[in-house]
Amino acid sequence: GVCLSRRTFFSLNSNYIQTLYETIMVFITQTGWTYSEIFKLPIKKRDWMFKIYNDMVKKEEEELSEEEN
């Protein structure tokens, strides 16, 4: 078949890339992982780990807030 699209390569949108780099930065600064360790993770596993990490941080913040009140 003939490809009628002018796109000849796969590209990621800028929002995805920004989110990816922000995720990597959080992992590097908060967990001590290296860039290559994080980047090599399968996408779904990295997203899952980041969600779990965020949930843990939110829970700790809520507990601290309750203790202050």
Side-chain angles (χ1 to χ4, degrees):
V2 176
C3 179
L4 301 176
S5 172
R6 290 182 179 226
R7 278 189 159 172
T8 58
F9 61 94
F10 173 77
S11 66
L12 302 172
N13 70 38
S14 61
N15 288 338
Y16 175 82
I17 293 170
Q18 181 174 346
T19 301
L20 171 63
Y21 287 140
E22 287 173 0
T23 301
I24 290 172
M25 187 61 154
V26 168
F27 270 118
I28 289 170
T29 60
Q30 301 298 317
T31 66
W33 286 35
T34 66
Y35 178 87
S36 60
E37 289 173 327
I38 299 159
F39 198 78
K40 289 177 183 177
L41 284 171
I43 294 169
K44 288 185 179 187
K45 183 174 266 187
R46 183 179 58 227
D47 291 346
W48 175 81
M49 290 177 72
F50 191 65
K51 180 190 177 316
I52 297 298
Y53 177 78
N54 277 336
D55 291 347
M56 288 172 41
V57 169
K58 286 179 186 177
K59 184 177 178 181
E60 288 175 7
E61 288 174 352
E62 289 171 359
E63 289 171 356
L64 286 173
S65 178
E66 289 175 2
E67 287 177 11
E68 290 176 356
N69 293 331

